[in-house]
Amino acid sequence: MSKEILLDVRHLTQQFHLTKKIKVKAVDDVSFQIHKGEIFGLVGESGSGKSTVARCLMNIYQPAQGEIWYKDVNICDKKEFKKHKKMLQTCRQMIFQDSGAALNPRMSIRQIMLEPVKISRRIRDREMLENRLREILKETGLDESILSKKSGELSGGQRRRIDIARALLHRPEILILDEPTTGLDPQTRKTLWNVIENLRKKEKMTVFLTTHYMEEAASADYVVILDSGSIVSEGTPHDLKNQYADDVVALYGVTEEQVQLLGKQYRIIRDGYQIMVRSTKEATELIVAHPELFQDYEVIKGGMDDVFLEVTGKRLGD
């Protein structure tokens, strides 16, 4: 049974004017589909076009060419967008890379949570809104006492959680996260992802993520890799790793002469050897053929960093 297509991006192209005569394509003929309920990852280095795509999905940018269909509405069509504007405002919410830092430091968190958002029909009732506010604060690991604080008093991780809580207040169908954990320490990053994943399941949301952290991409259901505004590869993390990343068999308790008999490329590690294999299938065949050697071993799958390096020739962060 095929999943419902929530967003269908067709031949999206966006360009910006450097001067009156010179244009640069930030996004070049990009097409992909996002299915309902999944985490969709758009991966690339800085300047690859990730944030431009995210802003097109939110109608912040009007694409130079292409279409973006939300269910049966082409949101790039101005007449269609105007006709369905109220529905589109509540079905999508976006968290920007630096939105936490942009919160007004003099406003209370209650004001920040309630002032800028359009109240959807489902929670126009004040009591219902207050209940939802308390519920979403609890889900994001925040105490109600935070509502009286000013945003300038909060840590970076707390401001990020307020971003998430504010975006989820009206139960959006799709949450768009543009580099949501940039600048956060690994522990806070992990905590926030636990919050997002729990809420995704409970709220039955779809998540669109742009990131340059490959461990975040590895948790997505489907990944598109951008390089210089164009798609260079796409697929599930499992398929991408199988296609582009070599596996490694770490073998212990053997001599180097025994490893050499296997006829495979290897390298010496502190307590054993790492044997390079193309796939888990090749590793299995090797183990079955030489059971006397493989008494103590582990198979290590190639990672998404290896995938990115293979398809772009670059390492993220270079």
Side-chain angles (χ1 to χ4, degrees):
M1 183 177 178
S2 60
K3 288 186 177 180
E4 176 189 347
I5 297 172
L6 191 63
L7 276 171
D8 188 359
V9 177
R10 305 174 186 175
H11 306 291
L12 182 68
T13 297
Q14 179 61 300
Q15 56 191 16
F16 299 104
H17 290 266
L18 294 181
T19 67
K20 288 183 178 180
K21 295 183 178 180
I22 301 175
K23 300 177 183 177
V24 61
K25 282 187 177 179
V27 178
D28 189 8
D29 195 24
V30 166
S31 299
F32 56 81
Q33 294 178 333
I34 302 175
H35 294 92
K36 186 177 177 64
E38 74 179 359
I39 297 180
F40 181 98
L42 191 63
V43 179
E45 60 182 354
S46 296
S48 61
K50 306 186 305 296
S51 294
T52 299
V53 172
R55 283 160 171 75
C56 288
L57 297 183
M58 287 296 295
N59 293 99
I60 297 170
Y61 293 159
Q62 181 67 29
Q65 296 175 21
E67 299 175 342
I68 301 174
W69 289 83
Y70 172 75
K71 298 182 178 179
D72 57 350
V73 178
N74 179 11
I75 65 175
C76 296
D77 184 295
K78 291 182 180 179
K79 289 183 179 179
E80 282 287 290
F81 178 79
K82 187 176 181 180
K83 181 180 177 181
H84 300 280
K85 186 176 180 178
K86 288 185 178 180
M87 179 270 291
L88 292 171
Q89 282 178 328
T90 54
C91 75
R92 303 164 300 161
Q93 291 293 332
M94 182 170 177
I95 297 176
F96 297 91
Q97 178 178 337
D98 56 353
S99 55
L103 296 177
N104 188 329
R106 294 183 296 275
M107 290 178 67
S108 73
I109 299 305
R110 177 179 288 279
Q111 290 173 313
I112 288 170
M113 289 286 290
L114 300 181
E115 184 217 37
V117 287
K118 308 290 184 184
I119 307 301
S120 69
R121 291 178 182 176
R122 283 177 290 181
I123 52 175
R124 278 180 176 167
D125 177 82
R126 185 71 187 183
E127 184 179 351
M128 191 180 297
L129 179 60
E130 290 292 333
N131 289 339
R132 174 61 177 168
L133 182 56
R134 287 192 292 270
E135 176 189 5
I136 207 66
L137 286 175
K138 183 178 179 181
E139 292 292 344
T140 50
L142 295 168
D143 190 86
E144 285 183 50
S145 61
I146 204 170
L147 291 172
S148 60
K149 292 184 178 181
K150 300 288 194 294
S151 69
E153 301 171 24
L154 306 185
S155 67
Q158 286 175 318
R159 286 196 295 271
R160 223 38 177 153
R161 292 189 191 209
I162 290 297
D163 274 346
I164 295 171
R166 182 172 57 167
L168 297 179
L169 190 60
H170 303 293
R171 305 182 193 273
E173 193 164 18
I174 180 166
L175 181 64
I176 298 173
L177 303 171
D178 186 23
E179 302 275 9
T181 58
T182 296
L184 299 180
D185 63 85
Q187 183 178 355
T188 304
R189 215 160 58 221
K190 182 178 180 181
T191 300
L192 283 179
W193 265 109
N194 288 337
V195 169
I196 291 168
E197 180 59 23
N198 289 337
L199 286 168
R200 181 179 75 93
K201 293 176 180 177
K202 186 172 182 178
E203 306 278 335
K204 296 181 172 58
M205 282 189 314
T206 303
V207 175
F208 174 89
L209 163 75
T210 76
T211 185
H212 63 267
Y213 292 120
M214 297 311 290
E215 68 269 26
E216 292 181 350
S219 301
D221 297 294
Y222 196 83
V223 174
V224 166
I225 300 176
L226 282 186
D227 189 29
S228 301
S230 298
I231 294 176
V232 290
S233 192
E234 62 181 294
T236 67
H238 180 265
D239 288 343
L240 288 171
K241 286 186 283 188
N242 279 345
Q243 185 175 356
Y244 295 111
D246 290 340
D247 292 348
V248 172
V249 181
L251 183 57
Y252 311 102
V254 294
T255 66
E256 187 168 0
E257 289 74 18
Q258 289 175 307
V259 173
Q260 290 172 344
L261 292 174
L262 297 173
K264 298 288 184 182
Q265 181 183 355
Y266 69 92
R267 71 184 186 93
I268 301 171
I269 56 177
R270 176 174 290 192
D271 51 355
Y273 303 88
Q274 286 188 342
I275 303 163
M276 313 307 170
V277 291
R278 186 60 191 160
S279 64
T280 306
K281 180 176 182 292
E282 185 179 330
T284 303
E285 291 171 349
L286 196 64
I287 294 164
V288 170
H290 303 275
E292 72 284 358
L293 296 183
F294 289 88
Q295 299 298 311
D296 188 6
Y297 68 92
E298 58 182 334
V299 179
I300 305 167
K301 291 287 292 180
M304 289 297 293
D305 283 304
D306 301 314
V307 171
F308 190 85
L309 176 62
E310 181 68 22
V311 300
T312 67
K314 307 169 186 175
R315 286 194 182 276
L316 282 170
D318 285 353

